[in-house]
Amino acid sequence: MAKQKIDVYVVPSTDDHGSEYVALCDRRRQWLSGFTGSAGTAVVTAGEAHLFTDSRYWTQAERELSRDWTLHRVGESADIVNWDKWILEVPRGTKIGIDSRMLTHEYAVSLSQKMNAAGVQLAFPYRNLVDVIWKDRPVRPRDPIFLQPREFTGQEASDKLKDFRAWMDTQGSGVQGAMVASLSSVAWLLNLRGNDVPYNPVFLSYLFVSRSNTPKRSILFTGLMKINAEVRAHLDLLGIDVKEYNDVWTWLRKREWGDGKVLITSQTPYAISCMLTSLRYIVAPAWYDDARAIKNEVEIAGFERAYLRDGAAFVRWLAWMDEKMQAGYEIDEYEAGRRLNLFRKEQDNYMGLAYENISASGPNAALPHYIPSKVAARIIDRDTPYLMDSGGQWLDGTCDTTRTVHYGYPTEEQREAFTRVLQGHIAIDTAIFPEGTSGQQLDVLARRMLWRDGLNYHHGTGHGFGSFLNVHEGPQSFASTEVLRPGHVLTNEPGYYKEGDFGIRIESALVVVRVSPRKAENHVSWLGFKRFTCVPIQAKMVKRSLLSKEEVEWLKTHNALCLKRLGPMIANDKRASKWLARECQRELAPDAKGPLNIVW
């Protein structure tokens, strides 16, 4: 910083592509600070070090940061703001450095304007300063890229590119092509997958899609050693040349795409728009994000199969856990997650976890994104709910499921909280709404019964997810104004977290479908949800008196469906079959009156 005459240096969590999850070689903020959470920004001055993160990670950050760091618990009070507001309070003339690859075009333009108004200079050093001092930085991944066949994608890559080019034709005659920097978008467009980023089947790359393959062909920038003969032949048929990953900057600098303009999105890394200069790019919508979000019939069928296999593994694991816990064994959070993964590995098409297991007992379950470590995992207790948020990556779908169970005698407080969460879960699952409704407009349904008791949760109600791609995918979510359309997939995951005590979350995956309400008028189209997830919900945690007749029936129907669909898949596992039949046929017990205590 001193050599570059930089007063403040900012280290975000993301990578060169704006990714949420990053390769080991791109975990700069984690290496610098020691904080392993997936969201947070480090800000370093000549004499101080600051870490800004939201409520999901406050406790984790307090555990992991050394005394050299000051933690900013963003949102805890009105005067604790995020780094981009905090930094505007530095003295005028301060020079602030950041890697321009780590900022999106839209964010960088906005930030630069605010800093100029505050008399602060925003600078972009030639090299990332963390890279300069990170002597044992892991090498860039070299795992091979592989094909994702049409039997899973439902659409050839050539047809996706054809549709993309047809859309480009509507963006003006001077458009030469489009630059795609999002890793999941590149993988989706080309029907390719990789192993460069843990839990995300993507590969480090940039893609230039030419408006026409004559005279300029499209170019994929990635590691040449990652391309085998099969993938090279696939790309050649698509009219795509391959260049080394870092060659993208020379290619941009020399303007090798031609004389026209290049389409970028608001989320394109700022380094790319800087290299292009404002005269040679047009900021346009991310067509491929919207197209990818609408799952086709093949992808939806793939999700149904994947969630059945994932559900079968979940049930076999739940039965194993129940047997061990009732026998008095001590099982820690890390070992529980490892065991679940072993059951998944026994099935076809399994490619690994979709994210790190959130396996949490007691106060750890009150941390929505808690990840247990092998050396410091907590023993799962019998006094508080145990939360498992886990999903597998399957060739035909990405899974994301959460169930909360109790291995002892749940308290009234725990049962009431669980029931309120369940009511929110049911409200979203059974929602019927007119076409044109956004996820954000439905969010209140998940919170209404919690709010009635003065309870809430401080994370989103649900997000989109990929087809053997990233577990978080947009633009649709229950926090977004994006209008929900048939084929959109979302998670449904309300929760409740009592800090320092316990946490509860119930999560299932849904797809938006057309429905026909009994009194619907012909000129109005109506939508609803169909559930993919097939894992029972523990009845003993439910306080029946809080549920309506319809909610009781929903729970009975859901668990009965789990028994019907999963029973044949686990028939060879007697322990799991017995457990599944017992749990799915368990009646809701009447609530205790007076001093009577129900013993389960």
Side-chain angles (χ1 to χ4, degrees):
M1 289 170 59
K3 289 181 180 179
Q4 297 278 342
K5 297 182 179 180
I6 289 173
D7 303 303
V8 180
Y9 194 70
V10 180
V11 185
S13 300
T14 190
D15 63 5
D16 307 23
H17 306 270
S19 306
E20 177 184 9
Y21 297 99
V22 301
L24 296 179
C25 61
D26 291 325
R27 296 183 179 180
R28 298 176 177 90
R29 191 227 60 222
Q30 178 177 319
W31 176 83
L32 184 66
S33 68
F35 170 59
T36 61
S38 62
T41 301
V43 178
V44 180
T45 71
E48 300 173 348
H50 302 262
L51 191 284
F52 297 77
T53 192
D54 61 52
S55 60
R56 298 172 296 169
Y57 300 102
W58 291 344
T59 303
Q60 181 181 348
E62 287 173 346
R63 293 176 181 175
E64 295 178 340
L65 292 175
S66 72
R67 294 180 179 179
D68 297 316
W69 290 83
T70 299
L71 173 62
H72 296 250
R73 297 161 63 103
V74 178
E76 185 177 40
S77 62
D79 60 336
I80 303 180
V81 296
N82 209 350
W83 74 271
D84 51 359
K85 291 184 178 179
W86 177 86
I87 213 163
L88 296 178
E89 301 301 319
V90 299
R92 295 181 67 86
T94 298
K95 187 176 181 181
I96 298 171
I98 191 169
D99 188 334
S100 60
R101 297 171 299 173
M102 311 294 149
L103 298 175
T104 67
H105 172 82
E106 180 180 56
Y107 187 60
V109 170
S110 172
L111 185 63
S112 182
Q113 291 172 348
K114 292 175 182 177
M115 288 188 173
N116 286 338
V120 176
Q121 180 185 354
L122 185 59
F124 304 111
Y126 178 71
R127 286 191 65 189
N128 188 295
L129 300 191
V130 175
D131 295 352
V132 175
I133 64 170
W134 190 358
K135 301 303 181 184
D136 58 348
R137 183 186 175 202
V139 298
R140 189 175 295 129
R142 299 172 181 174
D143 299 57
I145 297 169
F146 56 94
L147 298 180
Q148 177 72 342
R150 184 175 179 175
E151 66 176 292
F152 299 127
T153 67
Q155 187 180 17
E156 296 287 0
S158 57
D159 292 329
K160 294 178 181 179
L161 291 170
K162 180 180 178 181
D163 292 344
F164 189 19
R165 289 187 171 111
W167 174 82
M168 273 193 230
D169 288 341
T170 68
Q171 300 303 302
S173 58
V175 171
Q176 188 70 31
M179 198 70 195
V180 184
S182 162
L183 300 183
S184 59
S185 298
V186 173
W188 177 82
L189 270 170
L190 302 183
N191 284 353
L192 296 175
R193 300 293 188 268
N195 290 300
D196 288 0
V197 179
Y199 313 109
N200 296 265
V202 297
F203 50 97
L204 298 180
S205 57
Y206 298 95
L207 175 65
F208 173 75
V209 180
S210 61
R211 187 168 175 175
S212 171
N213 269 336
T214 55
K216 296 288 185 179
R217 286 164 61 93
S218 300
I219 301 174
L220 175 66
F221 298 90
T222 191
L224 294 179
M225 67 180 63
K226 303 163 69 65
I227 306 291
N228 61 26
E230 182 183 32
V231 171
R232 190 173 290 277
H234 170 76
L235 292 171
D236 194 54
L237 285 175
L238 296 175
I240 297 175
D241 294 329
V242 182
K243 291 181 179 290
E244 191 59 58
Y245 178 73
N246 282 333
D247 287 349
V248 65
W249 307 111
T250 302
W251 184 86
L252 287 169
R253 187 170 62 252
K254 293 183 177 180
R255 304 171 191 165
E256 294 183 28
W257 68 88
D259 296 328
K261 293 191 175 184
V262 176
L263 295 177
I264 64 171
T265 76
S266 61
Q267 301 305 300
T268 297
Y270 190 52
I272 290 179
S273 56
C274 286
M275 193 71 75
L276 287 168
T277 73
S278 59
L279 296 176
R280 294 179 176 84
Y281 67 75
I282 298 173
V283 180
W287 171 88
Y288 36 80
D289 285 352
D290 292 330
R292 183 184 63 220
I294 304 295
K295 308 306 180 190
N296 58 48
E297 292 181 0
V298 171
E299 290 174 312
I300 291 172
F303 280 125
E304 291 174 343
R305 295 191 302 270
Y307 272 92
L308 279 178
R309 289 194 297 273
D310 211 69
F314 234 105
V315 163
R316 293 185 65 199
W317 169 78
L318 283 166
W320 178 87
M321 284 286 296
D322 189 70
E323 179 181 83
K324 297 301 181 185
M325 293 295 288
Q326 298 308 322
Y329 284 83
E330 288 193 343
I331 302 171
D332 69 41
E333 300 159 324
Y334 184 87
E335 174 62 15
R338 190 185 74 85
R339 287 282 179 170
L340 174 53
N341 203 33
L342 290 178
F343 286 114
R344 289 193 177 104
K345 288 181 178 179
E346 296 179 16
Q347 302 187 71
D348 294 336
N349 292 340
Y350 182 60
M351 301 299 287
L353 287 171
Y355 50 97
E356 288 186 275
N357 288 324
I358 300 173
S359 172
S361 177
N364 291 339
L367 307 173
H369 290 77
Y370 166 80
I371 305 295
S373 67
K374 188 174 183 179
V375 297
R378 190 176 191 271
I379 297 296
I380 297 170
D381 66 52
R382 294 165 176 79
D383 299 319
T384 61
Y386 167 61
L387 185 154
M388 172 59 86
D389 185 338
S390 179
Q393 286 283 15
W394 307 83
L395 282 173
D396 43 6
T398 299
C399 295
D400 188 355
T401 301
T402 307
R403 289 295 183 263
T404 304
V405 296
H406 204 295
Y407 291 112
Y409 306 117
T411 66
E412 284 297 290
E413 180 186 25
Q414 292 165 1
R415 292 179 65 216
E416 287 181 7
F418 184 94
T419 306
R420 292 308 191 196
V421 171
L422 175 61
Q423 288 176 299
H425 187 84
I426 294 172
I428 291 290
D429 186 274
T430 58
I432 294 176
F433 46 94
E435 196 160 15
T437 302
S438 70
Q440 187 182 72
Q441 290 173 294
L442 299 178
D443 181 82
V444 67
L445 298 178
R447 302 176 190 268
R448 185 172 71 92
M449 299 309 292
L450 284 163
W451 286 354
R452 179 174 291 186
D453 286 351
L455 308 178
N456 202 1
Y457 54 94
H458 302 289
H459 59 70
T461 297
H463 53 82
F465 51 93
S467 177
F468 186 39
L469 269 174
N470 296 359
V471 73
H472 293 154
E473 186 177 279
Q476 78 282 6
S477 77
F478 286 111
S480 171
T481 58
E482 180 76 14
V483 169
L484 296 179
R485 292 180 284 172
H488 274 158
V489 293
L490 304 101
T491 61
N492 170 18
E493 49 182 308
Y496 170 68
Y497 311 93
K498 184 177 181 182
E499 186 174 356
D501 196 347
F502 68 89
I504 292 165
R505 185 162 64 252
I506 304 173
E507 177 183 20
S508 298
L510 311 170
V511 58
V512 179
V513 296
R514 294 196 180 278
V515 297
S516 300
R518 185 167 56 90
K519 297 184 178 181
E521 298 176 355
N522 292 334
H523 65 280
V524 179
S525 296
W526 292 84
L527 303 176
F529 296 113
K530 180 181 178 182
R531 187 170 60 259
F532 289 134
T533 307
C534 199
V535 179
I537 293 172
Q538 191 179 49
K540 84 171 185 180
M541 281 289 287
V542 178
K543 189 168 183 178
R544 181 170 183 167
S545 63
L546 297 180
L547 296 181
S548 67
K549 291 181 180 179
E550 292 79 9
E551 290 167 335
V552 171
E553 187 60 30
W554 182 95
L555 181 59
K556 291 173 63 177
T557 300
H558 169 75
N559 283 349
L561 183 62
C562 291
L563 177 59
K564 178 181 178 180
R565 299 183 73 186
L566 296 178
M569 297 181 67
I570 62 170
N572 293 331
D573 187 332
K574 293 182 179 180
R575 175 179 57 201
S577 295
K578 183 179 179 180
W579 180 92
L580 180 66
R582 184 181 73 242
E583 289 298 316
C584 291
Q585 294 172 344
R586 186 193 293 268
E587 293 292 330
L588 291 176
D591 294 337
K593 295 183 178 180
L596 180 64
N597 182 38
I598 299 295
V599 178
W600 301 96

